[in-house]
Amino acid sequence: MSTTIPKQKIIIVGGGCFGLSSAYALSLKPEYEVWVYDRLPIPVPDAASTDVNKIVRADYGDDTLYMHLMFEAFPLWHQFNKEREALGQSPVFHQSGVLLLSSNGSYSPFEQASLKSIREAGHGYAIEEFLTPESIVSRFPQFKGAVDRGYDIGYLNKEGGWCNSREAVVHMYNKCISQGVRFVTGSGQGEFGSLFCPESSRIVRGIVTKDGQVHLADRVLLATGAWSAGVVDMKKLVTATGQAVVHFEPKGTMLNQFQSADCPVWCGDLSRTGFYGFPANAEGKMKVGIHNAGYLWPRESDQVSVPRTQVTHTDDTIPLNGLRQFRQFLGGFLPETSALDITYSRLCWYSDAIDGQFVIDYHPDYENLIVATGDSGHGMKFIPNIGMHIRDVIEGRATDYTRRWAWRQLETSETKLDGLRSGNEVKRGIIASEQEGMRLVELDELKASRPQL
Ligand SMILES: Cc1cc2nc3c(=O)[nH]c(=O)nc-3n(C[C@H](O)[C@H](O)[C@H](O)COP(=O)(O)OP(=O)(O)OC[C@H]3O[C@@H](n4cnc5c(N)ncnc54)[C@H](O)[C@@H]3O)c2cc1C
């Protein structure tokens, strides 16, 4: 006689990288019934996870925890590609290598520490160093302009590359569907309104969606990315920060060089400048981003910063000071871009943790409520495996990862940027405000003829 064990119902709010990866990991265990709610159909256009590409790198300076997490993820990325190949789909992970250039003949402390960590962990085989300007140009002629302007030493980490992050989301979503995960999406029915805590208790019994419906669950996981602090009291542990990205569409030789199969992801002295960029994709779009303190968009009711995106503000671009930073940096790194229009720009929103570490733990104010957020701008590369670690948190299993990401109480004054942001000061302007440089630029100002410098 077989007995049926009652399943535990888990509601996950948020169908981005953290939410989908968790849904998949939970669905592998028969004891869970998993439901995912999102305010929009997946892939959600303004989710941080939905993008043309994201860096997949193991270079984390002396922070070996994330380096090891990445080495756990690499085989799973290759597995994704195999699964897709079997279905006749294009790969999601492109192992182009990540080229980390430093300037003036010496590595910055970040690159030095990354090289040391990677070698000590036994992955030195993946490193190819370029210790002279000539060696960089002969292997990567597309960076001649950068080399001529002092970016003259670097290394390629051949394990890394980039993912088509929108497609990676779709792939994980499809894996969830095949595992029986249920999805409810769309404003109203899929949008989280509040926690369901009967009799004003702090015991979470489910969620109430914006259409007023109650959905019962044994546990609720909030994986709401940059929206998190606007959804539940995160006690200032995380802040939604907008981060600027731009696209170019080069032509001719530049397109050929940046679209070639061996064009790597590049980091332009990342820990000093914050700038990084990608090969041109199949449609010829070449994305460049900056990893810095970012911008805020405080909502009126309580001044908590929340994402302002092109879903609700269709014509939004990037702030003027961001445009100036891009044009200035790129003029000295990829000078060819000075003659190119920026064909697209947007702010993409981080859930920026006060100390740059993920925040994955039970919420201290409630029972049965877990938060998985605080991606701090570097979570996408872990979509294949972050969910397994989130599952550990849900199940109360202590590991080096769960200890690092545990809820901590820090004061705003303790905010520090991770070592990869340009500038050390945590100064964040309010977008679309009267503050200097914060107005969002007009489309015309993105043209090469309007450099705004
Ligand atoms: C400019 C930029 C560049 C980045 N570059 C990299 C990179 O190169 N490499 C890398 O590894 N990572 C990168 N990241 C970080 C990466 O994108 C994030 O770490 C990751 O996408 C976070 O996933 P998430 O699931 O937490 O959030 P999201 O992907 O934002 O998902 C959150 C989901 O929650 C949903 N949601 C929010 N509120 C509600 C509600 N009330 N009800 C229902 N659903 C709701 C949203 O609709 C959304 O789908 C970058 C991020 C940005 C912004």
Side-chain angles (χ1 to χ4, degrees), residues 284-311:
K285 291 178 185 158
M286 198 180 89
K287 185 179 116 180
V288 179
I290 179 168
H291 180 58
N292 67 5
Y295 306 98
L296 303 174
W297 177 243
R299 65 181 173 196
E300 250 179 71
S301 54
D302 55 8
Q303 296 303 298
V304 167
S305 179
V306 288
R308 165 171 157 157
T309 76
Q310 291 170 353
V311 164

CSV table of all heavy atoms in Angstrom, one decimal, residues 284-311:
chain,number,residue,atom,x,y,z
A,284,GLY,N,24.1,42.4,-34.2
A,284,GLY,CA,25.1,43.6,-34.3
A,284,GLY,C,25.0,44.6,-33.2
A,284,GLY,O,25.6,45.6,-33.2
A,285,LYS,N,24.3,44.2,-32.1
A,285,LYS,CA,24.2,45.1,-30.9
A,285,LYS,C,25.4,44.9,-30.0
A,285,LYS,O,25.6,43.8,-29.6
A,285,LYS,CB,22.9,44.9,-30.2
A,285,LYS,CG,21.7,45.3,-31.0
A,285,LYS,CD,20.4,45.1,-30.2
A,285,LYS,CE,19.3,45.4,-31.2
A,285,LYS,NZ,18.1,44.8,-30.8
A,286,MET,N,26.1,46.0,-29.7
A,286,MET,CA,27.3,45.9,-28.8
A,286,MET,C,27.0,46.7,-27.5
A,286,MET,O,26.8,47.9,-27.5
A,286,MET,CB,28.4,46.5,-29.5
A,286,MET,CG,29.8,46.1,-29.0
A,286,MET,SD,31.1,46.9,-30.0
A,286,MET,CE,31.2,48.4,-29.1
A,287,LYS,N,26.9,45.9,-26.4
A,287,LYS,CA,26.5,46.6,-25.1
A,287,LYS,C,27.7,47.0,-24.3
A,287,LYS,O,28.7,46.2,-24.2
A,287,LYS,CB,25.6,45.6,-24.4
A,287,LYS,CG,25.0,46.1,-23.1
A,287,LYS,CD,24.1,45.1,-22.4
A,287,LYS,CE,24.7,44.8,-21.0
A,287,LYS,NZ,24.0,43.7,-20.3
A,288,VAL,N,27.6,48.1,-23.7
A,288,VAL,CA,28.6,48.6,-22.8
A,288,VAL,C,27.9,49.0,-21.5
A,288,VAL,O,26.8,49.6,-21.5
A,288,VAL,CB,29.4,49.8,-23.3
A,288,VAL,CG1,30.4,50.3,-22.3
A,288,VAL,CG2,30.1,49.4,-24.6
A,289,GLY,N,28.5,48.7,-20.3
A,289,GLY,CA,27.8,49.0,-19.1
A,289,GLY,C,28.8,49.6,-18.1
A,289,GLY,O,30.1,49.5,-18.3
A,290,ILE,N,28.3,50.2,-17.1
A,290,ILE,CA,29.2,50.7,-16.0
A,290,ILE,C,28.6,50.2,-14.7
A,290,ILE,O,27.4,50.2,-14.4
A,290,ILE,CB,29.3,52.2,-16.0
A,290,ILE,CG1,30.2,52.7,-14.8
A,290,ILE,CG2,28.0,53.0,-15.9
A,290,ILE,CD1,30.7,54.1,-14.8
A,291,HIS,N,29.5,49.7,-13.8
A,291,HIS,CA,29.1,49.1,-12.5
A,291,HIS,C,29.6,50.2,-11.5
A,291,HIS,O,30.8,50.3,-11.2
A,291,HIS,CB,29.9,47.8,-12.4
A,291,HIS,CG,29.7,47.1,-11.1
A,291,HIS,ND1,28.5,46.6,-10.7
A,291,HIS,CD2,30.6,46.7,-10.2
A,291,HIS,CE1,28.6,46.0,-9.5
A,291,HIS,NE2,29.9,46.0,-9.2
A,292,ASN,N,28.6,51.0,-11.1
A,292,ASN,CA,29.0,52.0,-10.1
A,292,ASN,C,27.9,52.2,-9.0
A,292,ASN,O,27.1,51.3,-8.9
A,292,ASN,CB,29.4,53.3,-10.8
A,292,ASN,CG,28.3,54.0,-11.5
A,292,ASN,OD1,27.1,53.6,-11.4
A,292,ASN,ND2,28.6,55.0,-12.2
A,293,ALA,N,27.9,53.3,-8.3
A,293,ALA,CA,27.0,53.5,-7.2
A,293,ALA,C,25.5,53.5,-7.7
A,293,ALA,O,24.6,53.1,-7.0
A,293,ALA,CB,27.3,54.7,-6.5
A,294,GLY,N,25.3,53.9,-9.0
A,294,GLY,CA,24.0,53.9,-9.5
A,294,GLY,C,23.2,55.1,-9.1
A,294,GLY,O,23.6,56.0,-8.4
A,295,TYR,N,21.9,55.0,-9.5
A,295,TYR,CA,20.9,56.1,-9.2
A,295,TYR,C,19.8,55.6,-8.4
A,295,TYR,O,19.5,54.4,-8.4
A,295,TYR,CB,20.4,56.7,-10.6
A,295,TYR,CG,21.5,57.1,-11.5
A,295,TYR,CD1,21.9,56.2,-12.5
A,295,TYR,CD2,22.1,58.3,-11.4
A,295,TYR,CE1,22.9,56.6,-13.4
A,295,TYR,CE2,23.1,58.7,-12.3
A,295,TYR,CZ,23.5,57.8,-13.3
A,295,TYR,OH,24.5,58.2,-14.2
A,296,LEU,N,19.1,56.6,-7.8
A,296,LEU,CA,17.9,56.2,-7.0
A,296,LEU,C,16.6,56.8,-7.6
A,296,LEU,O,16.6,57.8,-8.4
A,296,LEU,CB,18.0,56.9,-5.6
A,296,LEU,CG,19.3,56.5,-4.8
A,296,LEU,CD1,19.3,57.3,-3.5
A,296,LEU,CD2,19.3,55.0,-4.5
A,297,TRP,N,15.5,56.1,-7.3
A,297,TRP,CA,14.2,56.6,-7.7
A,297,TRP,C,13.3,56.4,-6.4
A,297,TRP,O,12.5,55.5,-6.3
A,297,TRP,CB,13.7,55.9,-8.9
A,297,TRP,CG,12.3,56.3,-9.3
A,297,TRP,CD1,11.1,55.5,-9.4
A,297,TRP,CD2,11.8,57.6,-9.8
A,297,TRP,NE1,10.1,56.2,-9.8
A,297,TRP,CE2,10.5,57.5,-10.1
A,297,TRP,CE3,12.5,58.8,-10.0
A,297,TRP,CZ2,9.7,58.6,-10.5
A,297,TRP,CZ3,11.8,59.9,-10.4
A,297,TRP,CH2,10.4,59.8,-10.7
A,298,PRO,N,13.3,57.4,-5.5
A,298,PRO,CA,12.5,57.2,-4.2
A,298,PRO,C,11.0,57.4,-4.5
A,298,PRO,O,10.7,58.4,-5.1
A,298,PRO,CB,13.1,58.3,-3.3
A,298,PRO,CG,14.2,58.9,-4.0
A,298,PRO,CD,14.1,58.6,-5.5
A,299,ARG,N,10.2,56.5,-4.0
A,299,ARG,CA,8.8,56.6,-4.2
A,299,ARG,C,8.3,57.7,-3.2
A,299,ARG,O,8.8,57.8,-2.1
A,299,ARG,CB,8.0,55.3,-4.1
A,299,ARG,CG,8.1,54.6,-2.8
A,299,ARG,CD,7.3,53.3,-2.9
A,299,ARG,NE,7.5,52.6,-1.6
A,299,ARG,CZ,7.2,51.3,-1.4
A,299,ARG,NH1,6.8,50.6,-2.4
A,299,ARG,NH2,7.4,50.8,-0.2
A,300,GLU,N,7.2,58.3,-3.6
A,300,GLU,CA,6.7,59.4,-2.8
A,300,GLU,C,6.3,59.0,-1.3
A,300,GLU,O,6.6,59.7,-0.4
A,300,GLU,CB,5.5,60.0,-3.5
A,300,GLU,CG,5.8,61.4,-4.0
A,300,GLU,CD,4.6,62.0,-4.7
A,300,GLU,OE1,3.6,62.3,-4.0
A,300,GLU,OE2,4.6,62.0,-6.0
A,301,SER,N,5.6,57.9,-1.2
A,301,SER,CA,5.0,57.5,0.1
A,301,SER,C,6.0,57.4,1.2
A,301,SER,O,5.8,57.8,2.3
A,301,SER,CB,4.2,56.2,0.0
A,301,SER,OG,5.0,55.2,-0.6
A,302,ASP,N,7.2,56.8,0.9
A,302,ASP,CA,8.1,56.5,2.1
A,302,ASP,C,9.6,56.7,1.7
A,302,ASP,O,10.5,56.4,2.4
A,302,ASP,CB,7.9,55.1,2.6
A,302,ASP,CG,8.1,54.1,1.5
A,302,ASP,OD1,8.5,54.4,0.3
A,302,ASP,OD2,7.8,52.9,1.7
A,303,GLN,N,9.8,57.3,0.5
A,303,GLN,CA,11.2,57.6,0.0
A,303,GLN,C,12.0,56.3,-0.2
A,303,GLN,O,13.2,56.4,-0.4
A,303,GLN,CB,11.9,58.5,1.0
A,303,GLN,CG,11.3,59.9,1.1
A,303,GLN,CD,11.2,60.6,-0.3
A,303,GLN,OE1,12.2,60.8,-0.9
A,303,GLN,NE2,10.0,60.8,-0.8
A,304,VAL,N,11.4,55.1,-0.2
A,304,VAL,CA,12.2,53.9,-0.6
A,304,VAL,C,12.4,53.9,-2.1
A,304,VAL,O,11.5,54.1,-2.9
A,304,VAL,CB,11.4,52.6,-0.2
A,304,VAL,CG1,12.0,51.4,-0.8
A,304,VAL,CG2,11.3,52.5,1.3
A,305,SER,N,13.7,53.7,-2.5
A,305,SER,CA,14.0,53.7,-3.9
A,305,SER,C,13.4,52.4,-4.6
A,305,SER,O,13.5,51.3,-4.1
A,305,SER,CB,15.5,53.7,-4.1
A,305,SER,OG,15.8,53.6,-5.5
A,306,VAL,N,12.7,52.6,-5.7
A,306,VAL,CA,12.1,51.5,-6.4
A,306,VAL,C,12.4,51.7,-7.9
A,306,VAL,O,12.7,52.8,-8.4
A,306,VAL,CB,10.5,51.5,-6.3
A,306,VAL,CG1,10.1,51.1,-4.9
A,306,VAL,CG2,9.9,52.9,-6.6
A,307,PRO,N,12.4,50.6,-8.7
A,307,PRO,CA,12.8,50.6,-10.1
A,307,PRO,C,11.8,51.5,-10.9
A,307,PRO,O,10.6,51.4,-10.7
A,307,PRO,CB,12.7,49.2,-10.6
A,307,PRO,CG,12.8,48.4,-9.3
A,307,PRO,CD,12.2,49.2,-8.2
A,308,ARG,N,12.4,52.4,-11.7
A,308,ARG,CA,11.6,53.1,-12.7
A,308,ARG,C,12.1,52.6,-14.0
A,308,ARG,O,13.3,52.8,-14.3
A,308,ARG,CB,11.8,54.6,-12.5
A,308,ARG,CG,11.3,55.4,-13.7
A,308,ARG,CD,11.4,56.9,-13.4
A,308,ARG,NE,11.4,57.7,-14.7
A,308,ARG,CZ,11.1,58.9,-14.8
A,308,ARG,NH1,10.6,59.6,-13.8
A,308,ARG,NH2,11.2,59.5,-16.0
A,309,THR,N,11.2,52.0,-14.8
A,309,THR,CA,11.7,51.3,-16.0
A,309,THR,C,10.9,51.7,-17.2
A,309,THR,O,9.9,52.4,-17.1
A,309,THR,CB,11.6,49.8,-15.8
A,309,THR,OG1,10.2,49.4,-16.0
A,309,THR,CG2,12.1,49.3,-14.5
A,310,GLN,N,11.4,51.2,-18.4
A,310,GLN,CA,10.7,51.5,-19.6
A,310,GLN,C,9.4,50.8,-19.8
A,310,GLN,O,8.7,51.1,-20.8
A,310,GLN,CB,11.7,51.2,-20.8
A,310,GLN,CG,12.9,52.1,-20.8
A,310,GLN,CD,13.9,51.7,-21.8
A,310,GLN,OE1,13.9,50.7,-22.4
A,310,GLN,NE2,14.9,52.6,-22.0
A,311,VAL,N,9.0,50.0,-18.8
A,311,VAL,CA,7.6,49.4,-18.9
A,311,VAL,C,6.6,50.5,-18.6
A,311,VAL,O,5.6,50.6,-19.2
A,311,VAL,CB,7.5,48.2,-17.9
A,311,VAL,CG1,6.1,47.8,-17.6
A,311,VAL,CG2,8.3,47.0,-18.4
